[in-house]
């Protein structure tokens, strides 16, 4: 995106491709919020009636109808070759970061290709976006990237899992969860933080060093932790 278009926003929304891409939660996207579609996310964004500013990707999954509608509406189409070194979602996240927002919200699917889903989750916690507060609504699930400290609103009994990304997460402290962590280290690949439970309407999660991904699978996935 040209340097002269670089402005600060509180929030930028990225719509990813895939089936069953979630609509934004009520009130989560104020009017005028910049919205970026990642390839096939253009179809879903238009179907949801969202005002797309920019669409990026190789456009191998966006429908011809969506591309034509976007061009007619004046949406900027940033085309990339199919043989590229980043997924369409990562390209869209880069475009979002270039707008210098405080927060980025990704709307995507919790299903589809497993490799794309895993790559997307890892990308959310990339150091390239370390200065942003990053959240994602993925189908019925919600994910939050945690660096430093965050307070998350939830419902008592709701499941939440804390996973270390890109290395160890050290000095992890939680409040408001059934199984508190008091300065523990969560190793990358460890299941230690899986299936914790909200015991209040808010939970505080802090990490002294490293990055956590907090995943909330959704109320329909609740129940006793395993």
């Amino acid at each position: 995106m040209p340097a002269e278009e670089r402005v600060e926003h509180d929030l930028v929304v990225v719509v990813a491709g895939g089936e069953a891409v979630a609509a934004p939660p009520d009130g989560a996207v104020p009017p005028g919020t910049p919205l970026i579609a990642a390839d096939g996310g253009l179809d879903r964004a238009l179907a949801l009636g969202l005002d797309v500013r920019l669409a990026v990707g190789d456009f191998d999954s966006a429908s011809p109808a969506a591309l034509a509608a976007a061009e007619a509406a004046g949406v900027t189409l940033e085309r990339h070759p199919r043989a590229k070194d980043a997924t369409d979602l990562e390209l869209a996240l880069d475009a979002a970061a270039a707008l210098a927002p405080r927060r980025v919200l990704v709307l995507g699917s919790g299903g589809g290709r497993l490799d794309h889903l895993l790559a997307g989750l890892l990308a959310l916690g990339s150091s390239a976006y370390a200065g942003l507060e990053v959240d994602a609504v993925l189908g019925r699930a919600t994910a939050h990237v945690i660096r430093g400290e965050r307070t998350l609103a939830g419902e008592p009994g709701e499941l939440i899992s804390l996973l270390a990304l890109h290395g160890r997460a050290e000095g992890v402290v939680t409040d408001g969860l059934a199984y508190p962590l008091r300065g523990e280290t969560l190793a990358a690949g460890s299941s230690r933080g899986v299936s914790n439970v909200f015991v209040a309407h808010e939970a505080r999660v802090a990490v002294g060093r490293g990055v956590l991904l907090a995943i909330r699978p959704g109320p329909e996935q609740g129940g006793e932790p395993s």
Side-chain angles (χ1 to χ4, degrees), residues 118-191:
L118 180 57
L121 290 172
L122 292 172
L124 295 180
S126 168
S127 60
Y129 318 122
L132 309 175
E133 184 177 285
V134 180
D135 300 300
V137 178
L138 304 172
R140 294 184 175 90
T142 305
H144 311 275
V145 177
I146 299 175
R147 288 182 170 88
E149 179 179 325
R150 292 191 65 178
T151 298
L152 306 176
E155 294 295 329
E158 181 184 351
L159 286 177
I160 182 170
S161 292
L162 304 177
L163 304 175
L165 282 182
H166 309 301
R168 301 196 311 174
E170 301 175 354
V172 179
V173 176
T174 65
D175 291 299
L177 298 180
Y179 308 109
L181 298 173
R182 294 289 180 257
E184 276 95 343
T185 294
L186 298 181
S190 169
S191 61

Side-chain angles (χ1 to χ4, degrees), residues 2-223:
E4 61 270 18
E5 294 184 18
R6 195 179 160 87
V7 295
E8 289 192 2
H9 299 274
D10 180 67
L11 173 68
V12 173
V13 174
V14 171
V15 182
E19 297 181 1
V21 174
D26 290 342
V29 182
T33 297
L35 192 145
I36 299 171
D39 202 325
L42 180 61
D43 285 78
R44 185 57 177 157
L46 295 178
L48 291 170
L50 300 175
D51 186 14
V52 179
R53 170 182 294 191
L54 170 69
V56 302
D58 53 22
F59 298 116
D60 61 343
S61 56
S63 70
L67 288 170
E71 287 184 311
V75 175
T76 300
L77 300 180
E78 183 181 296
R79 296 180 181 272
H80 293 262
R82 188 164 188 176
K84 57 189 188 302
D85 295 329
T87 64
D88 296 319
L89 175 58
E90 187 173 353
L91 293 172
L93 287 170
D94 289 343
L99 291 174
R102 185 177 69 85
R103 300 182 293 137
V104 171
L105 173 64
V106 176
L107 304 177
S109 171
R113 282 178 49 176
L114 180 60
D115 54 345
H116 277 184
L117 179 60
L118 180 57
L121 290 172
L122 292 172
L124 295 180
S126 168
S127 60
Y129 318 122
L132 309 175
E133 184 177 285
V134 180
D135 300 300
V137 178
L138 304 172
R140 294 184 175 90
T142 305
H144 311 275
V145 177
I146 299 175
R147 288 182 170 88
E149 179 179 325
R150 292 191 65 178
T151 298
L152 306 176
E155 294 295 329
E158 181 184 351
L159 286 177
I160 182 170
S161 292
L162 304 177
L163 304 175
L165 282 182
H166 309 301
R168 301 196 311 174
E170 301 175 354
V172 179
V173 176
T174 65
D175 291 299
L177 298 180
Y179 308 109
L181 298 173
R182 294 289 180 257
E184 276 95 343
T185 294
L186 298 181
S190 169
S191 61
R192 170 73 187 278
V194 171
S195 292
N196 215 321
V197 183
F198 277 81
V199 294
H201 290 285
E202 286 188 343
R204 183 181 71 91
V205 181
V207 55
R209 181 177 181 181
V211 185
L212 286 174
L213 186 67
I215 298 179
R216 297 157 66 177
E220 77 290 345
Q221 301 295 329

